[in-house]
């Protein structure tokens, strides 16, 4: 069975600064996908960034980038130039490769961005 | 394109009752997944449907069931409600034809069991 662990329940960062959220996972699969989802207060969950395990290159989406270490089973999210709108719960999630959309989520990290 | 919609948005029930929640996916999406979100257990996978067939099921009791219609809309049903069923129920849709696709989430249905 796969598990996803987020060891930081809460984090805070000042506007314009950089913050890194940690995620580790456990799986015996070789091919899979990893995601970071953002759930703003009282708003819908949206995808932040996606990584395919077979790709060595770390995914980047504007101010968001990941540090994917497959051997260490680590998948951290770096947010650069933090903005007030980044305040949200961030969930790391795992998906097996194949005919499935099943996501296994971590417990989440609540990020507060201060002005 | 309209997003994923869920109805109702809020629901209050009493123990022992049953409830049906509805999810309309984005047009063209054939996969619908359901998740239960609680402060204690976090986000847990309930089940996944693709083209009217249940493709995966999570570790929930048989009181939790679902189905998908030919237009890809999905419903989930919880019978004999318990206090612990109080949660935010989220559905997500995707094209579902290949793995690793982005899931688009709805706003959720907040169920309170008294």
């Amino acid at each position: 069975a796969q598990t996803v662990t987020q060891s930081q329940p809460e984090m805070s960062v000042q506007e314009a600064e950089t913050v890194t959220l940690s995620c580790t996972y456990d799986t015996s699969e070789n091919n899979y996908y990893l995601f970071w989802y953002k759930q703003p207060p009282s708003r819908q969950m949206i995808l932040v960034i996606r990584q395919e395990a077979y790709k060595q290159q770390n995914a980047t989406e504007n101010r968001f980038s990941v540090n994917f270490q497959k051997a260490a089973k680590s998948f951290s999210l770096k947010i650069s130039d933090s903005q007030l709108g980044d305040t949200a719960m961030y969930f790391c999630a795992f998906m097996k490769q194949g005919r499935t959309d099943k996501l296994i989520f971590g417990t989440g990290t609540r990020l507060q961005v201060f002005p | 394109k309209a997003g994923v919609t869920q109805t109702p948005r809020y629901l209050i029930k009493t123990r022992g009752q049953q409830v049906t929640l509805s999810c309309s996916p984005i047009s063209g999406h054939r996969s619908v997944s359901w998740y239960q979100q609680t402060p204690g257990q976090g986000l847990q996978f309930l089940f996944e449907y693709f083209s009217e067939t249940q493709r995966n099921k999570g570790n929930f009791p048989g009181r939790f069931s679902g189905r998908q219609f030919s237009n890809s809309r999905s419903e989930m049903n919880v019978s004999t409600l318990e206090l612990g069923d109080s949660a935010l129920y989220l559905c997500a849709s995707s094209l579902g034809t290949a793995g690793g696709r982005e899931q688009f989430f709805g706003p959720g249905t907040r169920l309170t069991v008294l």
Side-chain angles (χ1 to χ4, degrees):
Chain A
Q2 292 80 27
T3 58
V4 177
T5 302
Q6 294 180 249
S7 59
Q8 306 153 314
E10 293 185 2
M11 292 196 71
S12 61
V13 64
Q14 200 149 22
E15 208 175 1
E17 297 294 306
T18 295
V19 64
T20 298
L21 309 185
S22 300
C23 172
T24 58
Y25 59 94
D26 189 27
T27 183
S28 58
E29 303 282 333
N30 190 48
N31 295 314
Y32 49 86
Y33 306 91
L34 295 164
F35 304 83
W36 279 97
Y37 277 89
K38 168 185 176 181
Q39 188 177 38
S42 302
R43 291 180 61 189
Q44 286 166 241
M45 185 124 60
I46 58 172
L47 178 67
V48 175
I49 200 164
R50 171 182 175 272
Q51 175 80 43
E52 292 154 298
Y54 67 85
K55 288 187 177 177
Q56 291 188 337
Q57 187 171 8
N58 290 323
T60 300
E61 288 287 342
N62 301 313
R63 299 182 296 107
F64 299 88
S65 62
V66 297
N67 183 2
F68 173 49
Q69 302 289 328
K70 191 173 183 180
K73 295 180 182 173
S74 170
F75 183 60
S76 61
L77 174 70
K78 185 171 85 170
I79 306 174
S80 304
D81 185 27
S82 296
Q83 301 176 358
L84 297 178
D86 294 334
T87 292
M89 279 290 287
Y90 286 82
F91 293 96
C92 178
F94 173 99
M95 182 190 290
K96 285 171 57 175
Q97 187 182 56
R99 289 183 167 269
T100 180
D101 283 339
K102 176 183 175 181
L103 287 165
I104 298 169
F105 286 94
T107 50
T109 296
R110 186 176 303 278
L111 176 67
Q112 180 74 48
V113 181
F114 291 98
Chain B
K1 231 182 209 183
V4 178
T5 57
Q6 292 187 245
T7 56
R9 293 292 311 279
Y10 301 91
L11 208 47
I12 299 175
K13 293 285 188 179
T14 56
R15 279 181 299 175
Q17 287 187 309
Q18 76 165 22
V19 67
T20 299
L21 312 182
S22 180
C23 173
S24 292
I26 290 172
S27 177
H29 284 192
R30 295 163 63 189
S31 169
V32 173
S33 300
W34 289 89
Y35 295 86
Q36 181 195 64
Q37 186 174 22
T38 60
Q41 299 297 317
L43 280 153
Q44 293 188 288
F45 172 79
L46 280 155
F47 24 64
E48 171 193 1
Y49 288 89
F50 178 77
S51 292
E52 302 179 68
T53 300
Q54 189 178 82
R55 199 156 63 170
N56 266 297
K57 189 177 190 305
N59 296 324
F60 278 81
R63 301 185 296 107
F64 292 81
S65 62
R67 58 178 176 168
Q68 187 180 33
F69 302 95
S70 58
N71 62 358
S72 293
R73 190 177 69 86
S74 177
E75 288 182 347
M76 67 163 281
N77 184 78
V78 188
S79 63
T80 319
L81 283 166
E82 300 177 359
L83 295 179
D85 298 333
S86 294
L88 180 66
Y89 289 88
L90 297 172
C91 82
S93 77
S94 81
L95 289 169
T97 52
R101 288 190 178 273
E102 177 180 358
Q103 303 286 296
F104 293 84
F105 283 81
T109 293
R110 173 77 60 186
L111 172 65
T112 301
V113 182
L114 302 176

